[in-house]
Amino acid sequence: MTTSRAETLSGRAVADGVAERLKARVAELPYVPRLVFVRVGEDPASVFYVRSKQRFAKRIGVDAETLVLPDDVDQAELMATIAALNADPDTDAVLVQLPLPGHLDSAPVLEAIDPAKDVDGFHPLNVGRLWSGGAALAPCTPVGLLAILDHHGLEVHGRHVVIVGRSHMVGKPAAALFLARHATVTLAHSRTRDLAGVVRTGDIVVAAVGRAGLITADMVKPGAVVLDVGMTRVGDRIVGDVAEDVWDVAGHMTPMPGGTGLVTVAMVLQNTLTAAERRRG
Ligand code: NAP
């Protein structure tokens, strides 16, 4: 039997296109948009992610600063930092890098961020707006999934999207965004019976679990579009949720690395510009 490899949905190509568009938008503004990251401690993954976002900000002309708080900062001090950023008229966007150290409660922190500056889209007001069709700042990874599909001219309308993973950060907001684009959506999770059978019904499959190689070739409908979100460190490599053999079955697929992660970063800056333009008129 001959097999053909899926077409690569390059995240780099999408991110580069977004960078060009955002750079032009920034150049038109009479002010420099400002994004502030709050990072607690020195978790290597958090350091890496914040640096990537900061580099992208620099590339498009956005002023980005990182406030680093010590590992043992208490909840009150973190909340006071957020309050100060909310009150600062020059700050358009605030992003608290997750996860926070175990002694801190992230829910009140995320709820404390001014929804107008909430570029991660995790504030309950933005979550509500997302589901009710309002003008939300929507979570960056799910927004990026649609940007990838749009960039490559892949249709969403009327297609069946199976999302594996139902987190507040990826799976659920992805479901809302795909529904808003008239897809039929199934959300699968750790208690889903016959995961393979469910995934096989997807024209588009989103894997957002964090288990290396969970989605295998026998679970994927031939020709399906497969978007790999999961990231697991295996030795010195980052591995996705989608097994290597899926390249022989899918029609289109994101690589890992080089796929959804790069676009997530671009969407943080897209949200930053949207927040700045809405706030400053
Ligand atoms: P999370 O909060 O841990 O959620 C994982 C989800 O996967 C849960 O809904 C869980 O189900 C489900 N799950 C766990 N085991 C499963 C199994 N065997 N079969 C089916 N579903 C299963 O994680 P997250 O924050 O959404 O992140 C998911 C992955 O994406 C992680 O690897 C993370 O590093 C990565 N990520 C990547 C990007 C990017 O830009 N590419 C951005 C954010 C996150 P239950 O709800 O039933 O527990």
Side-chain angles (χ1 to χ4, degrees):
M1 196 177 86
T2 54
T3 53
S4 59
R5 262 179 91 77
E7 200 173 303
T8 301
L9 300 176
S10 160
R12 170 76 56 204
V14 180
D16 286 348
V18 172
E20 286 312 307
R21 286 198 297 280
L22 295 185
K23 198 171 169 181
R25 248 165 91 184
V26 172
E28 295 283 305
L29 297 173
Y31 54 87
V32 178
R34 178 173 157 76
L35 161 64
V36 179
F37 300 101
V38 178
R39 200 188 81 213
V40 179
E42 298 299 327
D43 169 58
S46 294
V47 171
F48 173 81
Y49 291 134
V50 170
R51 261 198 211 128
S52 312
K53 294 168 200 168
Q54 199 149 9
R55 262 202 307 271
F56 200 97
K58 194 171 172 197
R59 184 173 165 194
I60 64 162
V62 163
D63 173 24
E65 185 191 348
T66 304
L67 299 182
V68 182
L69 302 179
D71 221 359
D72 60 353
V73 70
D74 63 26
Q75 186 92 21
E77 197 178 335
L78 177 53
M79 298 294 271
T81 303
I82 304 293
L85 292 170
N86 287 344
D88 176 13
D90 293 330
T91 296
D92 297 292
V94 177
L95 189 155
V96 176
Q97 185 62 44
L98 300 175
L100 294 171
H103 68 283
L104 296 170
D105 186 357
S106 60
V109 173
L110 299 178
E111 289 185 25
I113 298 172
D114 177 348
K117 300 186 178 187
D118 168 37
V119 284
D120 255 343
F122 296 154
H123 189 285
L125 191 74
N126 281 318
V127 175
R129 283 181 180 150
L130 175 64
W131 283 97
S132 60
L137 287 168
C140 300
T141 301
V143 174
L145 299 178
L146 282 159
I148 292 170
L149 297 173
D150 290 343
H151 178 94
H152 292 277
L154 294 167
E155 197 172 21
V156 172
H157 190 117
R159 308 200 76 195
H160 184 204
V161 182
V162 175
I163 301 167
V164 189
R166 56 173 165 178
S167 71
H168 298 303
M169 286 161 197
V170 187
K172 284 180 190 164
L177 287 165
F178 278 109
L179 271 177
R181 291 280 299 270
H182 307 296
T184 301
V185 176
T186 298
L187 263 182
H189 46 79
S190 69
R191 323 293 159 88
T192 295
R193 289 190 191 160
D194 185 20
L195 183 67
V198 172
V199 172
R200 220 176 286 124
T201 63
D203 302 311
I204 298 171
V205 175
V206 176
V209 174
R211 291 200 176 203
L214 175 74
I215 307 297
T216 48
D218 58 306
M219 299 168 74
V220 174
K221 185 201 287 192
V225 176
V226 179
L227 304 172
D228 196 356
V229 174
M231 292 178 170
T232 307
R233 178 166 286 283
V234 177
D236 58 359
R237 290 189 316 135
I238 296 291
V239 177
D241 286 347
V242 181
E244 194 53 35
D245 59 4
V246 176
W247 283 101
D248 297 328
V249 177
H252 296 80
M253 186 159 143
T254 53
M256 178 62 72
T260 54
L262 294 176
V263 184
T264 295
V265 172
M267 294 302 117
V268 171
L269 274 303
Q270 182 168 289
N271 272 354
T272 298
L273 244 71
T274 301
E277 288 165 350
R278 281 188 195 155
R279 225 174 54 83
R280 304 206 204 202

Short mmCIF file of all heavy atoms in Angstrom, two decimals, residues 89-154:
data_model
loop_
_atom_site.label_atom_id
_atom_site.label_comp_id
_atom_site.label_asym_id
_atom_site.label_seq_id
_atom_site.Cartn_x
_atom_site.Cartn_y
_atom_site.Cartn_z
N PRO A 89 -2.10 53.97 33.31
CA PRO A 89 -2.72 54.31 32.02
C PRO A 89 -1.86 53.94 30.82
O PRO A 89 -2.38 53.78 29.72
CB PRO A 89 -2.92 55.83 32.11
CG PRO A 89 -2.01 56.30 33.20
CD PRO A 89 -1.81 55.15 34.14
N ASP A 90 -0.55 53.79 31.03
CA ASP A 90 0.33 53.47 29.90
C ASP A 90 0.41 51.97 29.60
O ASP A 90 0.99 51.56 28.60
CB ASP A 90 1.76 53.98 30.17
CG ASP A 90 1.79 55.50 30.21
OD1 ASP A 90 0.97 56.12 29.51
OD2 ASP A 90 2.60 56.06 30.96
N THR A 91 -0.13 51.16 30.49
CA THR A 91 -0.09 49.70 30.27
C THR A 91 -1.39 49.25 29.60
O THR A 91 -2.47 49.43 30.14
CB THR A 91 0.11 48.97 31.62
OG1 THR A 91 1.38 49.33 32.14
CG2 THR A 91 0.07 47.46 31.44
N ASP A 92 -1.24 48.66 28.40
CA ASP A 92 -2.42 48.22 27.64
C ASP A 92 -2.77 46.78 27.90
O ASP A 92 -3.92 46.36 27.70
CB ASP A 92 -2.13 48.36 26.13
CG ASP A 92 -1.89 49.79 25.75
OD1 ASP A 92 -2.85 50.58 25.81
OD2 ASP A 92 -0.74 50.14 25.42
N ALA A 93 -1.77 45.98 28.29
CA ALA A 93 -1.99 44.54 28.35
C ALA A 93 -1.17 43.94 29.50
O ALA A 93 -0.03 44.33 29.72
CB ALA A 93 -1.55 43.91 27.04
N VAL A 94 -1.79 42.98 30.19
CA VAL A 94 -1.14 42.33 31.33
C VAL A 94 -1.26 40.82 31.15
O VAL A 94 -2.35 40.31 30.87
CB VAL A 94 -1.81 42.74 32.67
CG1 VAL A 94 -1.18 42.01 33.84
CG2 VAL A 94 -1.75 44.25 32.87
N LEU A 95 -0.15 40.12 31.29
CA LEU A 95 -0.18 38.67 31.16
C LEU A 95 0.58 38.05 32.33
O LEU A 95 1.78 38.31 32.48
CB LEU A 95 0.44 38.26 29.81
CG LEU A 95 0.30 36.79 29.40
CD1 LEU A 95 0.38 36.66 27.88
CD2 LEU A 95 1.33 35.89 30.06
N VAL A 96 -0.12 37.29 33.14
CA VAL A 96 0.54 36.57 34.24
C VAL A 96 0.91 35.18 33.71
O VAL A 96 0.03 34.40 33.32
CB VAL A 96 -0.39 36.45 35.47
CG1 VAL A 96 0.28 35.61 36.56
CG2 VAL A 96 -0.75 37.83 35.99
N GLN A 97 2.20 34.90 33.65
CA GLN A 97 2.64 33.62 33.10
C GLN A 97 2.28 32.48 34.06
O GLN A 97 2.63 32.52 35.24
CB GLN A 97 4.15 33.66 32.83
CG GLN A 97 4.69 32.41 32.15
CD GLN A 97 4.08 32.16 30.76
OE1 GLN A 97 3.95 33.09 29.97
NE2 GLN A 97 3.70 30.92 30.49
N LEU A 98 1.60 31.48 33.54
CA LEU A 98 1.22 30.30 34.32
C LEU A 98 2.16 29.14 33.97
O LEU A 98 2.75 29.14 32.90
CB LEU A 98 -0.22 29.94 34.01
CG LEU A 98 -1.26 31.03 34.32
CD1 LEU A 98 -2.64 30.58 33.85
CD2 LEU A 98 -1.29 31.38 35.81
N PRO A 99 2.33 28.15 34.82
CA PRO A 99 1.69 28.03 36.13
C PRO A 99 2.40 28.87 37.18
O PRO A 99 3.58 29.16 37.06
CB PRO A 99 1.86 26.54 36.44
CG PRO A 99 3.13 26.15 35.74
CD PRO A 99 3.19 27.00 34.50
N LEU A 100 1.64 29.22 38.23
CA LEU A 100 2.22 29.91 39.38
C LEU A 100 2.72 28.85 40.37
O LEU A 100 2.21 27.72 40.38
CB LEU A 100 1.15 30.80 40.04
CG LEU A 100 0.65 31.97 39.20
CD1 LEU A 100 -0.54 32.64 39.86
CD2 LEU A 100 1.77 32.99 38.95
N PRO A 101 3.68 29.21 41.22
CA PRO A 101 4.11 28.26 42.26
C PRO A 101 2.93 27.79 43.11
O PRO A 101 1.93 28.53 43.24
CB PRO A 101 5.09 29.09 43.09
CG PRO A 101 5.56 30.19 42.20
CD PRO A 101 4.42 30.49 41.27
N GLY A 102 3.04 26.58 43.65
CA GLY A 102 1.92 25.92 44.32
C GLY A 102 1.26 26.69 45.45
O GLY A 102 0.06 26.51 45.71
N HIS A 103 2.00 27.60 46.14
CA HIS A 103 1.41 28.29 47.29
C HIS A 103 0.50 29.45 46.83
O HIS A 103 -0.19 30.06 47.66
CB HIS A 103 2.50 28.83 48.23
CG HIS A 103 3.32 29.95 47.64
ND1 HIS A 103 4.31 29.73 46.72
CD2 HIS A 103 3.28 31.29 47.84
CE1 HIS A 103 4.86 30.89 46.38
NE2 HIS A 103 4.24 31.85 47.05
N LEU A 104 0.48 29.72 45.53
CA LEU A 104 -0.35 30.83 45.03
C LEU A 104 -1.60 30.28 44.35
O LEU A 104 -1.56 29.25 43.69
CB LEU A 104 0.44 31.68 44.04
CG LEU A 104 1.66 32.40 44.62
CD1 LEU A 104 2.51 33.00 43.50
CD2 LEU A 104 1.23 33.48 45.61
N ASP A 105 -2.72 31.01 44.52
CA ASP A 105 -3.99 30.61 43.92
C ASP A 105 -4.18 31.43 42.64
O ASP A 105 -4.32 32.66 42.70
CB ASP A 105 -5.11 30.89 44.94
CG ASP A 105 -6.46 30.38 44.47
OD1 ASP A 105 -6.53 29.86 43.33
OD2 ASP A 105 -7.44 30.50 45.25
N SER A 106 -4.16 30.76 41.49
CA SER A 106 -4.19 31.51 40.23
C SER A 106 -5.56 32.12 39.93
O SER A 106 -5.64 33.18 39.29
CB SER A 106 -3.71 30.64 39.07
OG SER A 106 -4.55 29.53 38.93
N ALA A 107 -6.66 31.49 40.38
CA ALA A 107 -8.00 31.98 40.01
C ALA A 107 -8.22 33.44 40.40
O ALA A 107 -8.59 34.27 39.55
CB ALA A 107 -9.08 31.08 40.59
N PRO A 108 -7.98 33.82 41.69
CA PRO A 108 -8.20 35.24 42.02
C PRO A 108 -7.24 36.17 41.29
O PRO A 108 -7.59 37.33 41.01
CB PRO A 108 -7.96 35.31 43.54
CG PRO A 108 -7.41 34.00 43.95
CD PRO A 108 -7.68 33.00 42.88
N VAL A 109 -6.07 35.68 40.95
CA VAL A 109 -5.10 36.51 40.22
C VAL A 109 -5.65 36.81 38.82
O VAL A 109 -5.68 37.96 38.37
CB VAL A 109 -3.73 35.80 40.12
CG1 VAL A 109 -2.77 36.57 39.24
CG2 VAL A 109 -3.15 35.59 41.52
N LEU A 110 -6.14 35.77 38.15
CA LEU A 110 -6.66 35.97 36.79
C LEU A 110 -7.92 36.83 36.82
O LEU A 110 -8.17 37.62 35.90
CB LEU A 110 -6.93 34.62 36.12
CG LEU A 110 -5.69 33.72 35.96
CD1 LEU A 110 -6.07 32.39 35.32
CD2 LEU A 110 -4.61 34.42 35.12
N GLU A 111 -8.71 36.70 37.88
CA GLU A 111 -9.93 37.50 37.99
C GLU A 111 -9.64 38.95 38.35
O GLU A 111 -10.49 39.82 38.18
CB GLU A 111 -10.88 36.89 39.03
CG GLU A 111 -11.49 35.59 38.56
CD GLU A 111 -12.52 35.01 39.50
OE1 GLU A 111 -13.13 35.77 40.27
OE2 GLU A 111 -12.71 33.78 39.44
N ALA A 112 -8.41 39.20 38.86
CA ALA A 112 -8.06 40.57 39.26
C ALA A 112 -7.60 41.41 38.08
O ALA A 112 -7.61 42.64 38.13
CB ALA A 112 -6.96 40.51 40.32
N ILE A 113 -7.18 40.74 37.00
CA ILE A 113 -6.68 41.50 35.84
C ILE A 113 -7.84 42.25 35.19
O ILE A 113 -8.92 41.67 34.98
CB ILE A 113 -6.02 40.54 34.81
CG1 ILE A 113 -4.81 39.85 35.43
CG2 ILE A 113 -5.62 41.29 33.53
CD1 ILE A 113 -4.21 38.75 34.56
N ASP A 114 -7.63 43.52 34.89
CA ASP A 114 -8.64 44.31 34.19
C ASP A 114 -9.02 43.56 32.90
O ASP A 114 -8.14 43.30 32.06
CB ASP A 114 -8.04 45.69 33.87
CG ASP A 114 -8.98 46.58 33.08
OD1 ASP A 114 -10.01 46.09 32.58
OD2 ASP A 114 -8.65 47.77 32.95
N PRO A 115 -10.30 43.21 32.70
CA PRO A 115 -10.68 42.44 31.49
C PRO A 115 -10.26 43.13 30.20
O PRO A 115 -9.98 42.46 29.21
CB PRO A 115 -12.21 42.37 31.59
CG PRO A 115 -12.53 42.58 33.01
CD PRO A 115 -11.44 43.45 33.60
N ALA A 116 -10.15 44.45 30.22
CA ALA A 116 -9.74 45.18 29.01
C ALA A 116 -8.25 44.99 28.71
O ALA A 116 -7.80 45.27 27.60
CB ALA A 116 -10.06 46.67 29.17
N LYS A 117 -7.48 44.54 29.72
CA LYS A 117 -6.04 44.34 29.54
C LYS A 117 -5.67 42.85 29.54
O LYS A 117 -4.49 42.50 29.49
CB LYS A 117 -5.27 45.05 30.67
CG LYS A 117 -5.51 46.55 30.73
CD LYS A 117 -4.61 47.23 31.78
CE LYS A 117 -4.85 48.74 31.78
NZ LYS A 117 -3.90 49.45 32.65
N ASP A 118 -6.69 42.00 29.58
CA ASP A 118 -6.51 40.56 29.80
C ASP A 118 -6.21 39.85 28.47
O ASP A 118 -7.08 39.19 27.89
CB ASP A 118 -7.81 40.03 30.44
CG ASP A 118 -7.90 38.53 30.48
OD1 ASP A 118 -6.86 37.88 30.69
OD2 ASP A 118 -9.02 38.01 30.29
N VAL A 119 -4.95 39.93 28.01
CA VAL A 119 -4.64 39.40 26.68
C VAL A 119 -4.61 37.87 26.62
O VAL A 119 -4.58 37.31 25.53
CB VAL A 119 -3.31 39.96 26.12
CG1 VAL A 119 -3.51 41.36 25.63
CG2 VAL A 119 -2.19 39.89 27.13
N ASP A 120 -4.62 37.21 27.76
CA ASP A 120 -4.75 35.75 27.75
C ASP A 120 -6.22 35.33 27.61
O ASP A 120 -6.51 34.18 27.33
CB ASP A 120 -4.17 35.16 29.04
CG ASP A 120 -2.82 34.48 28.81
OD1 ASP A 120 -2.49 34.19 27.64
OD2 ASP A 120 -2.09 34.26 29.80
N GLY A 121 -7.14 36.26 27.90
CA GLY A 121 -8.56 35.95 27.75
C GLY A 121 -9.10 34.99 28.79
O GLY A 121 -10.07 34.28 28.55
N PHE A 122 -8.47 34.96 29.97
CA PHE A 122 -8.89 34.00 31.00
C PHE A 122 -9.84 34.61 32.03
O PHE A 122 -10.37 33.91 32.88
CB PHE A 122 -7.67 33.43 31.74
CG PHE A 122 -6.73 32.62 30.87
CD1 PHE A 122 -5.39 32.50 31.19
CD2 PHE A 122 -7.21 31.95 29.74
CE1 PHE A 122 -4.52 31.74 30.39
CE2 PHE A 122 -6.36 31.20 28.93
CZ PHE A 122 -5.00 31.10 29.27
N HIS A 123 -10.04 35.94 32.02
CA HIS A 123 -10.95 36.57 32.98
C HIS A 123 -12.39 36.09 32.70
O HIS A 123 -12.78 35.98 31.54
CB HIS A 123 -10.87 38.09 32.85
CG HIS A 123 -11.60 38.81 33.93
ND1 HIS A 123 -12.98 38.90 33.98
CD2 HIS A 123 -11.15 39.45 35.04
CE1 HIS A 123 -13.33 39.56 35.06
NE2 HIS A 123 -12.24 39.90 35.73
N PRO A 124 -13.16 35.81 33.78
CA PRO A 124 -14.52 35.30 33.57
C PRO A 124 -15.37 36.18 32.65
O PRO A 124 -16.23 35.66 31.92
CB PRO A 124 -15.11 35.27 34.99
CG PRO A 124 -13.93 35.17 35.89
CD PRO A 124 -12.79 35.87 35.20
N LEU A 125 -15.15 37.49 32.68
CA LEU A 125 -15.94 38.36 31.79
C LEU A 125 -15.61 38.05 30.33
O LEU A 125 -16.51 37.97 29.48
CB LEU A 125 -15.63 39.83 32.09
CG LEU A 125 -16.58 40.80 31.42
CD1 LEU A 125 -17.94 40.82 32.09
CD2 LEU A 125 -15.98 42.21 31.42
N ASN A 126 -14.34 37.85 30.04
CA ASN A 126 -13.95 37.52 28.66
C ASN A 126 -14.44 36.12 28.28
O ASN A 126 -14.83 35.88 27.14
CB ASN A 126 -12.44 37.66 28.47
CG ASN A 126 -12.03 39.11 28.28
OD1 ASN A 126 -12.72 39.86 27.56
ND2 ASN A 126 -10.95 39.53 28.92
N VAL A 127 -14.42 35.20 29.25
CA VAL A 127 -14.92 33.85 28.98
C VAL A 127 -16.41 33.92 28.64
O VAL A 127 -16.87 33.33 27.65
CB VAL A 127 -14.69 32.92 30.20
CG1 VAL A 127 -15.32 31.55 29.96
CG2 VAL A 127 -13.20 32.78 30.50
N GLY A 128 -17.15 34.69 29.43
CA GLY A 128 -18.59 34.85 29.18
C GLY A 128 -18.87 35.49 27.83
O GLY A 128 -19.75 35.06 27.09
N ARG A 129 -18.10 36.52 27.52
CA ARG A 129 -18.28 37.20 26.23
C ARG A 129 -17.98 36.25 25.07
O ARG A 129 -18.64 36.28 24.04
CB ARG A 129 -17.35 38.41 26.12
CG ARG A 129 -17.85 39.59 26.91
CD ARG A 129 -16.89 40.76 26.73
NE ARG A 129 -17.34 41.91 27.47
CZ ARG A 129 -16.51 42.81 27.98
NH1 ARG A 129 -15.21 42.70 27.82
NH2 ARG A 129 -17.00 43.85 28.64
N LEU A 130 -16.96 35.42 25.27
CA LEU A 130 -16.59 34.48 24.21
C LEU A 130 -17.77 33.55 23.90
O LEU A 130 -18.13 33.33 22.74
CB LEU A 130 -15.36 33.67 24.65
CG LEU A 130 -14.90 32.55 23.72
CD1 LEU A 130 -14.44 33.13 22.38
CD2 LEU A 130 -13.76 31.76 24.36
N TRP A 131 -18.42 33.03 24.97
CA TRP A 131 -19.52 32.08 24.76
C TRP A 131 -20.81 32.77 24.32
O TRP A 131 -21.66 32.15 23.70
CB TRP A 131 -19.77 31.26 26.03
CG TRP A 131 -18.74 30.18 26.17
CD1 TRP A 131 -17.62 30.23 26.93
CD2 TRP A 131 -18.71 28.91 25.50
NE1 TRP A 131 -16.89 29.06 26.79
CE2 TRP A 131 -17.53 28.24 25.91
CE3 TRP A 131 -19.56 28.27 24.60
CZ2 TRP A 131 -17.19 26.97 25.46
CZ3 TRP A 131 -19.21 27.01 24.13
CH2 TRP A 131 -18.04 26.36 24.56
N SER A 132 -20.95 34.08 24.64
CA SER A 132 -22.20 34.75 24.27
C SER A 132 -22.03 35.58 23.00
O SER A 132 -22.94 36.31 22.63
CB SER A 132 -22.69 35.62 25.43
OG SER A 132 -21.71 36.60 25.74
N GLY A 133 -20.88 35.48 22.38
CA GLY A 133 -20.70 36.15 21.08
C GLY A 133 -20.30 37.60 21.18
O GLY A 133 -20.40 38.34 20.19
N GLY A 134 -19.86 38.04 22.37
CA GLY A 134 -19.44 39.44 22.53
C GLY A 134 -18.01 39.66 22.08
O GLY A 134 -17.34 38.72 21.61
N ALA A 135 -17.56 40.90 22.23
CA ALA A 135 -16.20 41.25 21.77
C ALA A 135 -15.17 40.89 22.83
O ALA A 135 -14.66 41.74 23.55
CB ALA A 135 -16.13 42.74 21.44
N ALA A 136 -14.89 39.61 22.94
CA ALA A 136 -13.96 39.15 23.96
C ALA A 136 -12.52 39.24 23.49
O ALA A 136 -12.25 39.21 22.30
CB ALA A 136 -14.26 37.68 24.28
N LEU A 137 -11.60 39.36 24.46
CA LEU A 137 -10.21 39.00 24.18
C LEU A 137 -10.19 37.48 24.43
O LEU A 137 -10.42 37.03 25.54
CB LEU A 137 -9.27 39.72 25.15
CG LEU A 137 -9.09 41.22 24.89
CD1 LEU A 137 -8.38 41.89 26.07
CD2 LEU A 137 -8.31 41.46 23.60
N ALA A 138 -9.98 36.70 23.38
CA ALA A 138 -10.11 35.24 23.49
C ALA A 138 -8.75 34.59 23.66
O ALA A 138 -7.74 35.11 23.18
CB ALA A 138 -10.80 34.70 22.25
N PRO A 139 -8.71 33.44 24.36
CA PRO A 139 -7.44 32.77 24.63
C PRO A 139 -6.61 32.50 23.36
O PRO A 139 -7.13 32.12 22.31
CB PRO A 139 -7.86 31.47 25.31
CG PRO A 139 -9.12 31.85 26.01
CD PRO A 139 -9.83 32.78 25.05
N CYS A 140 -5.31 32.72 23.51
CA CYS A 140 -4.41 32.82 22.34
C CYS A 140 -4.22 31.51 21.58
O CYS A 140 -4.16 31.51 20.35
CB CYS A 140 -3.07 33.37 22.81
SG CYS A 140 -3.27 34.99 23.56
N THR A 141 -4.10 30.40 22.29
CA THR A 141 -3.86 29.14 21.57
C THR A 141 -5.06 28.77 20.69
O THR A 141 -4.89 28.49 19.50
CB THR A 141 -3.52 28.01 22.56
OG1 THR A 141 -2.35 28.40 23.28
CG2 THR A 141 -3.25 26.70 21.85
N PRO A 142 -6.30 28.81 21.22
CA PRO A 142 -7.45 28.51 20.36
C PRO A 142 -7.62 29.50 19.20
O PRO A 142 -7.91 29.09 18.08
CB PRO A 142 -8.65 28.60 21.33
CG PRO A 142 -8.07 28.36 22.67
CD PRO A 142 -6.69 28.92 22.64
N VAL A 143 -7.39 30.78 19.46
CA VAL A 143 -7.49 31.76 18.37
C VAL A 143 -6.46 31.40 17.29
O VAL A 143 -6.73 31.49 16.08
CB VAL A 143 -7.26 33.21 18.87
CG1 VAL A 143 -7.22 34.19 17.72
CG2 VAL A 143 -8.35 33.62 19.84
N GLY A 144 -5.30 30.96 17.75
CA GLY A 144 -4.24 30.58 16.83
C GLY A 144 -4.61 29.39 15.96
O GLY A 144 -4.19 29.29 14.80
N LEU A 145 -5.41 28.46 16.50
CA LEU A 145 -5.81 27.29 15.71
C LEU A 145 -6.60 27.74 14.48
O LEU A 145 -6.39 27.27 13.36
CB LEU A 145 -6.65 26.33 16.56
CG LEU A 145 -5.96 25.74 17.79
CD1 LEU A 145 -6.92 24.85 18.57
CD2 LEU A 145 -4.71 24.95 17.39
N LEU A 146 -7.51 28.70 14.71
CA LEU A 146 -8.30 29.20 13.58
C LEU A 146 -7.42 30.00 12.61
O LEU A 146 -7.61 29.93 11.40
CB LEU A 146 -9.48 30.04 14.10
CG LEU A 146 -10.60 29.14 14.62
CD1 LEU A 146 -11.51 29.88 15.57
CD2 LEU A 146 -11.39 28.54 13.47
N ALA A 147 -6.45 30.71 13.17
CA ALA A 147 -5.54 31.46 12.30
C ALA A 147 -4.76 30.51 11.38
O ALA A 147 -4.54 30.81 10.20
CB ALA A 147 -4.57 32.30 13.14
N ILE A 148 -4.37 29.36 11.91
CA ILE A 148 -3.65 28.37 11.10
C ILE A 148 -4.54 27.86 9.97
O ILE A 148 -4.14 27.80 8.81
CB ILE A 148 -3.16 27.19 11.98
CG1 ILE A 148 -2.07 27.67 12.95
CG2 ILE A 148 -2.65 26.03 11.13
CD1 ILE A 148 -1.70 26.65 14.02
N LEU A 149 -5.78 27.51 10.34
CA LEU A 149 -6.70 26.97 9.32
C LEU A 149 -7.00 28.02 8.26
O LEU A 149 -7.01 27.73 7.06
CB LEU A 149 -7.99 26.48 9.99
CG LEU A 149 -7.80 25.33 10.99
CD1 LEU A 149 -9.10 25.02 11.73
CD2 LEU A 149 -7.30 24.07 10.27
N ASP A 150 -7.23 29.25 8.71
CA ASP A 150 -7.55 30.33 7.76
C ASP A 150 -6.37 30.60 6.83
O ASP A 150 -6.53 30.77 5.63
CB ASP A 150 -7.93 31.61 8.51
CG ASP A 150 -9.28 31.48 9.22
OD1 ASP A 150 -10.04 30.55 8.87
OD2 ASP A 150 -9.56 32.29 10.13
N HIS A 151 -5.18 30.65 7.42
CA HIS A 151 -3.98 30.94 6.62
C HIS A 151 -3.82 29.91 5.50
O HIS A 151 -3.41 30.24 4.39
CB HIS A 151 -2.74 30.93 7.53
CG HIS A 151 -1.46 31.16 6.80
ND1 HIS A 151 -0.91 32.42 6.67
CD2 HIS A 151 -0.63 30.31 6.12
CE1 HIS A 151 0.21 32.33 5.95
NE2 HIS A 151 0.41 31.06 5.63
N HIS A 152 -4.13 28.67 5.80
CA HIS A 152 -3.93 27.60 4.82
C HIS A 152 -5.20 27.31 4.02
O HIS A 152 -5.27 26.32 3.28
CB HIS A 152 -3.43 26.34 5.53
CG HIS A 152 -2.04 26.51 6.08
ND1 HIS A 152 -0.90 26.35 5.32
CD2 HIS A 152 -1.60 26.87 7.31
CE1 HIS A 152 0.17 26.58 6.07
NE2 HIS A 152 -0.23 26.91 7.28
N GLY A 153 -6.21 28.16 4.18
CA GLY A 153 -7.42 28.04 3.36
C GLY A 153 -8.24 26.79 3.66
O GLY A 153 -8.91 26.26 2.76
N LEU A 154 -8.21 26.32 4.90
CA LEU A 154 -8.96 25.11 5.25
C LEU A 154 -10.30 25.50 5.88
O LEU A 154 -10.34 26.29 6.83
CB LEU A 154 -8.13 24.25 6.21
CG LEU A 154 -6.86 23.68 5.57
CD1 LEU A 154 -5.93 23.10 6.62
CD2 LEU A 154 -7.22 22.61 4.53
#
